[in-house]
C-alpha cells in the first residue's frame, strides 16, 4: 500500500504540534481491521488533544481523530471482510491508538461497528462521537422515564456538535425543546433545528437559591461548571439531567436539595466505554427513530489541512454544528 496522509500530533520540546504527514501502514498502531477512511469528524476532545490544552493523548506521536467511517480493505477477524462499510469511534481510538484523521485506519475488530442500514458513511461521520453521545443520552434518559409529556427539555451549549444533534432528535420525538446558547446570532438556526424556545446565556438570570423555580423535566448539558449547578437548581420534580460535557468548566457547586427534595437525577454519559451491545443498539436508533432530520444543515465538509485552524475556533466556542473531514 502506498503511503497516505494523516494528521500526526507530536510533542516537540514540551509543545504539542499537529501536522499533516505521509504515513506507511506499518507505522499505524496494530489491529485486525484495516479500512480506507471515507470521513472523520471534529469533536471538542480532538481540539483539546491536538492543541495539548487537554492532556488527552497518552503517548506521542499519535495520529488524532476519535472517530472515522470507511470501507474495510482487509480483516484478520472473521466478523469483517473486505468491502464492509464500518464505523469506528471511542475506546482508545485517537487517544492511545492511532485515530481517524488518516486516509487509512488500522484498529482492533472489537471496536468496529458495521454501518447500520439507513445511514451513509457521510451521515455516520457527521454523527460520529457527537451523534453517538447525543443518542446515548436520549436512550439513558428514556430508560429513566423521560417522556415528551413530562415537561420541557433544556439543551445547553446549544450550537455545539452534540447539542445540535440532541435538539434535532428530541424535536422529532415530540419534545418541547428549549435551547440555551451564548450565540445570539444563531437563534434562527436553533429554531430551524426544532427548538421551540431559545434562551440567551448572556441574559440568563441564574439566581442563587438552592432550589429555584422548577422549569425543566429534562436537561442535556455540554457545558458543566456553574451552568450545570444552575440546572440542578431549576429542574422540576423528578427532573433528569444528562451531563456529558465540560466546555465551560469541570467543577460545579450545588447542594443535595435538588436530589433529596425534588428527586432530581444527574446521569453521567460516557460514550467511550459503552459495552458493544448498547453501542450497536444506539447506532441502530441513530439510523432509524433518532436519525437527525437536519444532518445536511448541521454538518459541513473540511479537509485534513483545515484541522489546526478549526481546533482553535472550536476551543473559543466559535463554531456551530459538525465539521466532517473528507479523507478519500
Ligand atoms: N461524555 C462523552 O462521552 C462526550 C462525548 C462527546 C463530547 N463530550 C463533551 O461534550 C462537550 C460538547 O462537545 P462538542 O463536540 O459538542 O463540542 P462543541 O461543538 O465545541 O460544543 C460546545 C458548545 O458549548 C458551548 N459553550 C459554552 N461555554 C463554552 C465555553 N466556555 N467554551 C466553549 N464552548 C462553550 C458553545 O455553544 P453555545 O455558544 O451555543 O452555548 C459550544 O458550541 C465537550 O465538553 C466534550 O468534551 C463528551
Amino acid at each position: 500500500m502506498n503511503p497516505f496522509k494523516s494528521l500526526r500530533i507530536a510533542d516537540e520540546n514540551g509543545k504539542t504540534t499537529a501536522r499533516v504527514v505521509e504515513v506507511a501502514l506499518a507505522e499505524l498502531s496494530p489491529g485486525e481491521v484495516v479500512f480506507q477512511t471515507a470521513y472523520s469528524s471534529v469533536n471538542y476532545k480532538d481540539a483539546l488533544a491536538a492543541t495539548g490544552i487537554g492532556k488527552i493523548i497518552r503517548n506521542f506521536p499519535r495520529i488524532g481523530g476519535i472517530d472515522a467511517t470507511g470501507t474495510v480493505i482487509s480483516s484478520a477477524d472473521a466478523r469483517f471482510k473486505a468491502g464492509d462499510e464500518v464505523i469506528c469511534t471511542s475506546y482508545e481510538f485517537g487517544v492511545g491508538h492511532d485515530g481517524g484523521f488518516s486516509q487509512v485506519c488500522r484498529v482492533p475488530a472489537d471496536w468496529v461497528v458495521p454501518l447500520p442500514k439507513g445511514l451513509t458513511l457521510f451521515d455516520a461521520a457527521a454523527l460520529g462521537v457527537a451523534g453517538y453521545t447525543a443518542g446515548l443520552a436520549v436512550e439513558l434518559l428514556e430508560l429513566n422515564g423521560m417522556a415528551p409529556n413530562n415537561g420541557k427539555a433544556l439543551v445547553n451549549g446549544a450550537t455545539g456538535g452534540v447539542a445540535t444533534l440532541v435538539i434535532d432528535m428530541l424535536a422529532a420525538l415530540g419534545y418541547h425543546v428549549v435551547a440555551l446558547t451564548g450565540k445570539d446570532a444563531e437563534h434562527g438556526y436553533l429554531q430551524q433545528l426544532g427548538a421551540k424556545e431559545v434562551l440567551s446565556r448572556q441574559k440568563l438570570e441564574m439566581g442563587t437559591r438552592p432550589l429555584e423555580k422548577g422549569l425543566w423535566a429534562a436537561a442535556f448539558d455540554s457545558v458543566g461548571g456553574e451552568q450545570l449547578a444552575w440546572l440542578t437548581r431549576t429542574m422540576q420534580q423528578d427532573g433528569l439531567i444528562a451531563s456529558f460535557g465540560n466546555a465551560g468548566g469541570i467543577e460545579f457547586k450545588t447542594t443535595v436539595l435538588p436530589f433529596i427534595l425534588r428527586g432530581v437525577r444527574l446521569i453521567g454519559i460516557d460514550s467511550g466505554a459503552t459495552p458493544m451491545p448498547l453501542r450497536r443498539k444506539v447506532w441502530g436508533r441513530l439510523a432509524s427513530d433518532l436519525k437527525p432530520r437536519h444532518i445536511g444543515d448541521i454538518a459541513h465538509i473540511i479537509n485534513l489541512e483545515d484541522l489546526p485552524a478549526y481546533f482553535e475556533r472550536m476551543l473559543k466556542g466559535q463554531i456551530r454544528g459538525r465539521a466532517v473531514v473528507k479523507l478519500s
Side-chain angles (χ1 to χ4, degrees), residues 31-49:
E32 299 86 26
V33 179
V34 177
F35 64 89
Q36 182 83 49
T37 318
Y39 302 100
S40 180
S41 73
V42 191
N43 298 279
Y44 196 80
K45 187 171 170 182
D46 292 313
L48 291 174

Side-chain angles (χ1 to χ4, degrees), residues 42-48 66 90 129-134 136 155-164 180-184 186 190 201 221-224 227 243-249 268-273 310 313-322:
V42 191
N43 298 279
Y44 196 80
K45 187 171 170 182
D46 292 313
L48 291 174
I66 62 171
S90 312
V129 172
Y132 178 72
T133 305
L136 182 64
V155 183
N156 192 19
T159 61
V162 183
T164 46
L180 173 54
T181 179
K183 300 187 186 78
D184 287 342
E186 301 291 0
L190 294 167
R201 183 166 300 119
D221 185 52
S222 307
V223 180
Q227 305 265 309
S243 165
F244 53 83
N246 61 351
I269 309 296
D270 176 12
S271 64
Y310 194 85
R313 289 178 51 217
M314 188 167 217
L315 291 174
K316 291 182 188 148
Q318 290 173 347
I319 57 101
R320 82 171 200 198
R322 300 270 297 147

Side-chain angles (χ1 to χ4, degrees), residues 85 87 115-121 123-124 127 283 286-287 291 295:
E85 293 186 312
I87 303 168
L115 183 75
K117 268 203 179 65
L119 290 179
T120 63
L121 290 173
D123 295 341
L127 290 165
W283 273 109
L286 292 172
K291 185 173 175 180
I295 287 183

Side-chain angles (χ1 to χ4, degrees), residues 193-321:
L193 294 181
K196 286 254 169 55
E197 297 172 53
V198 183
L199 305 180
S200 168
R201 183 166 300 119
Q202 288 79 353
K203 294 184 192 138
L204 198 64
E205 298 279 348
M206 293 214 284
T208 53
R209 291 179 297 177
L211 290 174
E212 297 287 344
K213 186 176 174 198
L215 299 171
W216 328 114
F220 293 78
D221 185 52
S222 307
V223 180
E226 62 173 9
Q227 305 265 309
L228 179 56
W230 168 75
L231 281 173
T232 64
R233 298 187 283 114
T234 54
M235 298 307 291
Q236 288 174 200
Q237 185 68 38
D238 296 326
L240 301 166
I241 305 172
S243 165
F244 53 83
N246 61 351
I250 57 168
E251 286 177 15
F252 73 104
K253 196 171 162 214
T254 188
T255 70
V256 295
L257 298 188
F259 309 110
I260 64 174
L261 295 183
R262 285 193 181 158
V264 170
R265 269 166 284 169
L266 181 56
I267 295 166
I269 309 296
D270 176 12
S271 64
T274 329
M276 193 46 96
L278 177 56
R279 186 174 294 279
R280 283 198 183 211
K281 180 181 180 199
V282 171
W283 273 109
R285 290 194 67 184
L286 292 172
S288 52
D289 68 318
L290 294 184
K291 185 173 175 180
R293 297 167 300 173
H294 300 93
I295 287 183
D297 299 324
I298 292 172
H300 59 281
I301 289 186
I302 65 171
N303 297 313
L304 213 46
E305 289 75 10
D306 301 327
L307 279 168
Y310 194 85
F311 296 143
E312 299 294 337
R313 289 178 51 217
M314 188 167 217
L315 291 174
K316 291 182 188 148
Q318 290 173 347
I319 57 101
R320 82 171 200 198

